[in-house]
């Protein structure tokens, strides 16, 4: 397997992200050269706290990985301006978290990295610093200069994409617009073909309302917005099924032969996927000019520095980035 260089942003410095990055250094995923975009002193201090003999070394793209006779974590340095206490998030580090993301994304854009794998960030801490932030997905889309991306989580053969992402529930109906939904489905279909290698993807599309609107008696979004978009795109030979009631779309009868479910909002689709495989799922951003995958969990600040954090989802995110990259 050809080794691919992936940027890794640990995310919230007071959470488990640094622990997970160090854990992967002790057992590196085959085929990946992981470069942590982070503060090397922060990572070294966390390694000391955990009692893990990981050598922190500065990454040089034209130099092979150092052979220190033990675990090594290569780092593209970004300085954290404030002290970090595991388990105690501090808004003073918010700018640092976003700088790691920007630096890693720039490295993907200029070809230094083959993809980006992100650890969990703490949205509340970033917003408490006075920085409007709704999530990785939206931040990376804006930085890449693309108008629309699609959030998709995958575990095994189950994939769930979202028509809207991190919105208050009251704002969801207004965000289900024909142009936005059509763009989402085009991105989803294209990346299933180009990134996942699925020749003719079958996409199941949820309705917004209970029972997919019950013929208009429980809402008209299915009749006035979702249905017409699906009809129009079917004329382009897209295999789109729906709008389907969300309470039955995840049953084996519907999922058999399906490649992805498109849910209308965050908590319509993701609880099912996370119940199916929490800790093994991967968050994938479709529509970016580079590959981006992430963990399916939060910062778990109560576990930071304890050595009890499970790196399973981050490892799966690396494997998914490698698999997606192999097809491009």
């Amino acid at each position: 397997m050809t080794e691919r260089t992936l940027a890794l942003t640990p995310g919230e410095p007071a959470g488990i992200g640094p622990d997970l990055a160090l854990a992967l250094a002790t057992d590196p995923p085959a085929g990946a050269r992981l470069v942590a975009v982070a503060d090397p002193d922060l990572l070294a201090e966390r390694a000391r706290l955990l009692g893990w003999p990981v050598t922190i070394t500065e990454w040089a793209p034209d130099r092979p990985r150092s052979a220190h006779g033990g675990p090594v974590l290569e780092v593209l340095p970004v300085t954290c301006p404030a002290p970090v206490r595991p388990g105690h998030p501090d808004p003073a580090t918010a700018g640092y978290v976003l700088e790691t993301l920007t630096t890693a994304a720039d490295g993907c854009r200029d070809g230094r990295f083959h993809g980006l794998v992100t650890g969990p960030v703490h949205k509340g801490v970033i917003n408490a610093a006075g920085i409007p932030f709704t999530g990785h997905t939206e931040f990376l889309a804006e930085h890449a200069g693309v108008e629309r991306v699609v959030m998709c989580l995958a575990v095994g053969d189950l994939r769930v994409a979202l028509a809207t992402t991190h919105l208050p529930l009251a704002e969801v109906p207004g965000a289900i617009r024909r142009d936005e939904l059509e763009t989402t489905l085009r991105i989803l279909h294209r990346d299933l073909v180009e990134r996942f290698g699925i020749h003719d993807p079958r996409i199941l599309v949820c309705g917004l309302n209970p029972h997919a609107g019950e013929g208009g008696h429980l809402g008209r979004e299915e009749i006035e917005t979702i249905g017409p978009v699906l009809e129009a795109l079917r004329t382009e030979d897209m295999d789109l099924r729906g709008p389907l009631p969300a309470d039955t779309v995840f049953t084996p009868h519907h999922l058999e032969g399906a490649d992805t479910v498109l849910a209308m909002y965050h908590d319509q689709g993701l609880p099912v996927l996370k119940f199916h495989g929490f800790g093994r799922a991967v968050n994938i951003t479709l529509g970016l000019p580079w590959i981006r995958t992430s963990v399916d969990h939060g910062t778990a600040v109560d576990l930071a520095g304890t050595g009890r954090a499970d790196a399973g989802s981050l490892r799966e995110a690396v494997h998914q980035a490698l698999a997606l990259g192999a097809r491009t």
Side-chain angles (χ1 to χ4, degrees):
M1 177 187 296
T2 301
E3 188 175 69
R4 300 179 71 83
T5 303
L6 301 176
L8 169 60
T9 53
E12 168 56 50
I16 61 172
D19 306 43
L20 302 182
L22 292 163
L24 290 196
T26 66
D27 184 17
R33 182 176 184 176
L34 294 179
V35 178
V37 183
D39 189 315
D41 293 335
L42 185 161
L43 293 171
E45 176 58 32
R46 189 66 58 89
R48 285 191 291 270
L49 177 64
L50 292 165
W52 294 349
V54 178
T55 298
I56 309 299
T57 183
E58 185 168 344
W59 171 63
D62 56 350
R63 185 179 66 214
R65 275 187 284 187
S66 302
H68 290 272
V72 175
L73 180 58
E74 295 185 284
V75 178
L76 175 58
V78 175
T79 301
C80 185
V84 173
R85 294 173 58 203
H88 298 274
D90 183 352
T93 65
Y96 158 76
V97 172
L98 298 185
E99 186 180 354
T100 65
L101 285 173
T102 299
T103 301
D106 288 344
C108 291
R109 181 158 49 195
D110 64 26
R112 286 177 293 162
F113 300 123
H114 294 105
L116 169 59
V117 180
T118 60
V121 295
H122 197 306
K123 300 180 186 68
V125 173
I126 297 172
N127 281 281
I131 304 172
F133 181 83
T134 56
H136 277 115
T137 304
E138 299 84 354
F139 180 85
L140 291 171
E142 182 177 356
H143 185 70
V146 296
E147 292 185 7
R148 184 74 172 174
V149 295
V150 176
M151 183 176 176
C152 177
L153 271 79
V155 56
D157 292 332
L158 178 62
R159 302 181 192 89
V160 177
L162 301 178
T164 62
T165 53
H166 301 108
L167 285 180
L169 190 56
E171 296 179 15
V172 169
I176 306 296
R177 301 190 298 271
R178 288 197 187 190
D179 57 340
E180 296 281 353
L181 184 57
E182 180 178 327
T183 301
T184 294
L185 282 163
R186 289 189 186 280
I187 292 170
L188 178 57
H189 183 272
R190 182 195 67 208
D191 277 20
L192 287 172
V193 174
E194 296 180 0
R195 298 280 197 204
F196 289 89
I198 301 171
H199 175 65
D200 187 20
R202 177 180 297 178
I203 301 171
L204 308 184
V205 181
C206 294
L208 173 65
N209 299 293
H211 302 175
E214 196 76 74
H217 296 287
L218 294 177
R220 297 191 57 82
E221 285 83 0
E222 290 77 13
I223 294 173
E224 297 175 357
T225 303
I226 302 171
V229 169
L230 301 187
E231 290 177 13
L233 293 179
R234 287 186 191 115
T235 66
E236 301 178 19
D237 293 327
M238 291 191 194
D239 189 351
L240 306 173
R241 310 294 174 96
L244 299 169
D247 63 343
T248 57
V249 73
F250 291 101
T251 58
H253 168 71
H254 284 295
L255 289 178
E256 184 177 0
D259 296 296
T260 304
V261 176
L262 178 66
M264 289 297 108
Y265 57 93
H266 188 281
D267 282 12
Q268 185 183 59
L270 297 194
V272 179
L273 181 133
K274 293 191 177 186
F275 177 78
H276 182 66
F278 187 70
R280 296 181 292 111
V282 178
N283 186 350
I284 307 160
T285 304
L286 307 179
L288 286 174
W290 60 78
I291 292 165
R292 181 260 170 166
T293 64
S294 189
V295 296
D296 70 344
H297 56 73
T299 56
V301 293
D302 56 318
L303 296 179
T306 67
R308 294 188 285 114
D310 185 349
S313 183
L314 184 61
R315 187 174 297 277
E316 289 297 325
V318 171
H319 290 158
Q320 184 68 260
L322 292 174
L324 293 171
R327 300 186 186 97
T328 58

